[in-house]
Amino acid sequence: MTNFKRTRTVKVGPYTLGGKNPVRVQAMCNTDTRDAAATVKQIIMLENAGCEINRVAVPDMDAALALGKIVRKIHTPLVADIHFDYKLALEAIKQGVSKIRINPGNIGDAERTKEVVKACKDKGLAIRIGVNAGSLKELKKFSGTPNWSDKKWAQIMVREALEHVNILERLNFKNFLVSLKSDNLNRTVLACEEFAKVCAAPQHIGLTEAGTVKSAIALSRLLGEGIGATIRVSLTEDPRKQVRCAYEILKALGLREFGPNIISCPTCGRTQVELAKEVAKLEEAIYSDPVLLKKSTGKKIAVMGCIVNGPGEARDADFGIAGGRGEGLWFEKGQIIGKIPQNKWLKKFTDKIIKG
Ligand code: SF4
């Protein structure tokens, strides 16, 4: 059987997704899109945390009309998430987004679909077809949830995704990605794997409302098989965590380098310092400042709980601190350099990251 894991490529703003290109990280805002100022503020925070593509919900025309104000103030491609209203899609395109998420089979009238596709073609925009297990057409035939096997769920997801794919391909439109998501790990993985066997479109991968553990397992498996051009980790928390978690998965698989490797000890009876608090302060500083983030990428930074074992246990760190009561020993490559009062740890770390 043909295997399309080496997919064709799709342009989204400055990025080329798919093929051999880096897997890009995206997040979805949880602000009200009509509140452009709040949405811009959140996107800038996400950008500072390393997010490369941002998506916003477009539930009505006011939200669509706010997109231009948002696009003009951010630095990353914006994706407008539209369910079926072609007028919202056309307005989002007019307002300058880089990609729309819409399922062509849900737009209704063929002329409307043609109009949306033509507008995307004219502006070089991308489309994401998004098939979610919870909103499959096939489910309408059942009053409750059907008793399908995971394989059957996956087959139906793929079949419905291909219906949308065929509509775009008949209109000679190829700048699209496809996502097949469920909150069920097996169904998602099976659907993405099956789809990769039959269609060369790159995939946006993720689960719906899944949390970090399920996302890490499912996405690692797919990425390990070469499936996934862009990822989004769905979390019901600060959206910056979507970005951190996505990068942690990509870093663990050796697919992207991003931010430092912070080595902190698990703490024990020897610990005399609030280590978790110090690690959280350091992470917050790095992941909210693009300069610190860039300069710390690839560095191993240790934050250890005691001077007895800390420097030794973190011998291969580039630099770090081993905590004592009210102070810590600064060490570089396992060698102790000097003492730092606890209230100066953060400054010492940030200065070292900046100055090298
Ligand atoms: S580095 Fe020190 S405080 Fe941390 S776990 Fe090891 S012995 Fe305990």
Side-chain angles (χ1 to χ4, degrees):
M1 184 183 275
T2 315
N3 190 323
F4 287 116
K5 281 177 192 169
R6 182 70 67 223
T7 64
R8 62 176 173 245
T9 56
V10 165
K11 286 284 286 174
V12 179
Y15 301 122
T16 304
L17 305 183
K20 289 184 179 172
N21 293 290
V23 179
R24 298 291 172 185
V25 168
Q26 56 178 291
M28 183 155 190
C29 292
N30 58 12
T31 49
D32 182 338
T33 309
R34 291 167 293 197
D35 185 346
T39 306
V40 167
K41 193 172 164 207
Q42 187 170 76
I43 293 176
I44 301 285
M45 257 166 51
L46 286 162
E47 288 177 345
N48 288 344
C51 190
E52 295 169 307
I53 300 170
N54 287 289
R55 179 161 53 110
V56 292
V58 183
D60 58 26
M61 193 47 88
D62 285 342
L65 289 165
L67 294 170
K69 282 188 216 148
I70 299 168
V71 167
R72 283 192 289 280
K73 293 205 168 131
I74 63 172
H75 317 91
T76 42
L78 189 67
V79 184
D81 195 303
I82 289 148
H83 275 149
F84 46 79
D85 187 338
Y86 85 111
K87 284 192 191 141
L88 298 184
L90 291 174
E91 188 57 43
I93 294 164
K94 206 163 113 192
Q95 294 283 330
V97 300
S98 298
K99 178 175 149 196
I100 56 169
R101 184 209 162 189
I102 195 162
N103 288 347
N106 299 348
I107 296 176
D109 189 76
E111 284 310 308
R112 293 175 180 177
T113 310
K114 267 190 204 161
E115 213 180 318
V116 171
V117 169
K118 183 179 180 309
C120 285
K121 261 192 204 168
D122 290 349
K123 286 191 141 193
L125 306 190
I127 292 178
R128 168 159 69 97
I129 293 168
V131 171
N132 287 356
S135 38
L136 291 169
K137 274 190 305 178
E138 187 74 15
L139 287 177
K140 293 194 182 120
K141 296 180 187 163
F142 298 83
S143 54
T145 307
N147 188 23
W148 295 333
S149 65
D150 289 341
K151 197 171 165 202
K152 170 107 177 166
W153 275 96
Q155 282 168 345
I156 294 170
M157 288 165 74
V158 172
R159 192 179 74 206
E160 293 199 9
L162 290 173
E163 286 170 16
H164 299 299
V165 166
N166 289 338
I167 294 173
L168 293 185
E169 289 189 341
R170 276 202 300 270
L171 294 169
N172 202 21
F173 185 84
K174 294 225 168 130
N175 203 42
F176 65 88
L177 294 107
V178 175
S179 66
L180 302 110
K181 297 187 184 183
S182 154
D183 61 354
N184 179 296
L185 190 155
N186 282 331
R187 287 173 201 166
T188 306
V189 169
L190 285 170
C192 295
E193 287 175 343
E194 284 311 303
F195 185 82
K197 288 178 189 163
V198 293
C199 183
Q203 292 188 42
H204 158 129
I205 57 170
L207 290 94
T208 55
E209 312 309 328
T212 51
V213 175
K214 265 203 277 182
S215 291
I217 297 169
L219 300 187
S220 311
R221 194 163 139 194
L222 290 169
L223 290 163
E225 293 171 13
I227 298 170
T230 174
I231 69 173
R232 187 229 168 178
V233 176
S234 301
L235 299 174
T236 319
E237 294 173 69
D238 177 346
R240 285 182 302 171
K241 292 213 175 134
Q242 302 173 27
V243 180
R244 283 286 303 284
C245 183
Y247 277 111
E248 289 305 324
I249 295 168
L250 294 172
K251 266 162 73 173
L253 293 167
L255 294 173
R256 295 286 302 270
E257 230 194 13
F258 181 81
N261 180 5
I262 297 179
I263 305 156
S264 56
C265 79
T267 72
C268 72
R270 286 199 181 90
T271 322
Q272 296 188 57
V273 63
E274 285 180 277
L275 203 75
K277 210 163 128 189
E278 292 298 331
V279 173
K281 268 162 49 181
L282 177 60
E283 288 187 334
E284 177 61 30
I286 291 172
Y287 288 100
S288 56
D289 180 340
V291 177
L292 281 177
L293 188 51
K294 192 161 176 231
K295 289 217 164 207
S296 63
T297 289
K299 295 251 183 309
K300 277 193 185 169
I301 303 175
V303 190
M304 306 301 281
C306 77
I307 55 174
V308 181
N309 294 330
E313 284 183 21
R315 191 169 285 117
D316 68 338
D318 291 297
F319 52 84
I321 272 178
R325 197 188 291 274
E327 61 184 15
L329 288 183
W330 179 258
F331 58 91
E332 295 181 14
K333 305 277 181 202
Q335 298 299 311
I336 293 166
I337 309 288
K339 279 187 188 168
I340 313 281
Q342 199 186 329
N343 61 4
K344 301 247 166 69
W345 287 12
L346 184 60
K347 181 156 178 5
K348 180 71 185 170
F349 276 124
T350 54
D351 284 353
K352 180 72 185 166
I353 292 168
I354 298 286
K355 290 175 194 154

